[in-house]
Amino acid sequence: KNEVEQSPQNLTAQEGEFITINCSYSVGISALHWLQQHPGGGIVSLFMLSSGKKKHGRLIATINIQEKHSSLHITASHPRDSAVYICAVRSTSQGAQKLVFGQGTRLTINP
Amino acid sequence: DARVTQTPRHKVTEMGQEVTMRCQPILGHNTVFWYRQTMMQGLELLAYFRNRAPLDDSGMPKDRFSAEMPDATLATLKIQPSEPRDSAVYFCASGLSPRTGELFFGEGSRLTVL
């Protein structure tokens, strides 16, 4: 079983819909990252969380340390949000410098 | 604006050739990471530097891969000799704190070994 599991693996929605991507992890962490990767593109760090909730524009990220779970929400989704979203954790057991990555969630927003 | 710069963006080479990928971290960042992304394995850590010293290269095949930071503005990842299974996108990332700091990724170097 992977240490970081994301769901769903693929998600297709209509423009304007509220999107939720989930990330569960099984190790102790010092921080959790949400990353965005457009097709053929580089990786952009959206959020880094160690507790609570963060908001940036239409994106909201939450983390529940006790439940070892994080969610990424997109409000009023737009076709330009189509990308792969990757959850990554800094595992305290592997040395906090090592990011452990989820397999990614491929999001497609149709106009 | 500050960003991590990687060169080349694309490289096609033949098996057995030497490949060198370069990364310029954001000025002032003291941690540099090399990651490899493939369809099968996703993102994997290859090597990690802090203050130019290699701290973890356990993810890197030692017989053919080498990573160095000759100075604070340049990190290199070299493959010699290259093999078709090395075909992947190689990402460099830099940051300030290895434990809790934000990471900034480059655009990646897409390597194809024929």
Side-chain angles (χ1 to χ4, degrees):
Chain A
K1 187 179 189 301
N2 292 335
E3 291 174 313
V4 181
E5 294 275 355
Q6 287 184 236
S7 63
Q9 288 191 20
N10 293 284
L11 177 58
T12 300
Q14 290 299 122
E15 183 173 354
E17 286 189 41
F18 181 81
I19 302 299
T20 295
I21 299 170
N22 296 299
C23 174
S24 295
Y25 52 91
S26 57
V27 294
I29 69 169
S30 60
L32 180 144
H33 296 254
W34 280 103
L35 310 172
Q36 179 193 56
Q37 185 174 28
H38 281 102
I43 296 172
V44 174
S45 178
L46 297 175
F47 295 104
M48 188 194 62
L49 295 163
S50 53
S51 65
K53 173 179 167 178
K54 284 191 177 180
K55 185 175 189 292
H56 185 254
R58 295 179 294 105
L59 301 177
I60 303 165
T62 64
I63 188 168
N64 186 316
I65 297 293
Q66 287 73 30
E67 293 186 5
K68 295 188 173 179
H69 181 268
S70 175
S71 291
L72 176 68
H73 305 285
I74 305 175
T75 61
S77 59
H78 190 275
R80 65 174 174 265
D81 298 326
S82 299
V84 175
Y85 292 84
I86 302 168
C87 170
V89 302
R90 289 190 184 278
S91 166
T92 52
S93 64
Q94 294 194 35
Q97 69 273 13
K98 219 166 198 172
L99 275 180
V100 181
F101 295 91
Q103 76 275 32
T105 294
R106 184 175 299 277
L107 173 66
T108 303
I109 303 296
N110 294 319
Chain B
D1 63 324
R3 56 180 165 169
V4 177
T5 303
Q6 287 186 246
T7 57
R9 291 292 313 279
H10 302 272
K11 174 76 176 178
V12 179
T13 191
E14 290 188 341
M15 181 172 142
Q17 296 297 306
E18 177 179 301
V19 175
T20 299
M21 288 168 276
R22 292 176 173 81
C23 168
Q24 182 176 350
I26 291 175
L27 191 64
H29 282 186
N30 63 351
T31 59
V32 174
F33 301 81
W34 281 106
Y35 294 98
R36 176 170 63 184
Q37 186 179 41
T38 61
M39 289 292 291
M40 295 298 294
Q41 301 293 334
L43 277 159
E44 306 171 279
L45 176 69
L46 295 176
Y48 156 58
F49 292 81
R50 188 177 182 193
N51 296 324
R52 294 177 54 202
L55 292 191
D56 185 350
D57 59 2
S58 58
M60 208 164 64
K62 301 290 191 303
D63 55 340
R64 299 182 299 107
F65 283 60
S66 61
E68 295 179 345
M69 274 201 81
D71 62 62
T73 64
L74 177 65
T76 62
L77 180 66
K78 188 176 294 187
I79 309 173
Q80 167 63 21
S82 58
E83 297 182 2
R85 60 181 166 154
D86 302 328
S87 297
V89 182
Y90 292 81
F91 287 98
C92 175
S94 72
L96 276 173
S97 168
R99 295 190 66 81
T100 59
E102 192 73 63
L103 268 189
F104 296 83
F105 286 80
E107 297 276 320
S109 293
R110 182 176 295 274
L111 173 65
T112 302
V113 183
L114 302 174

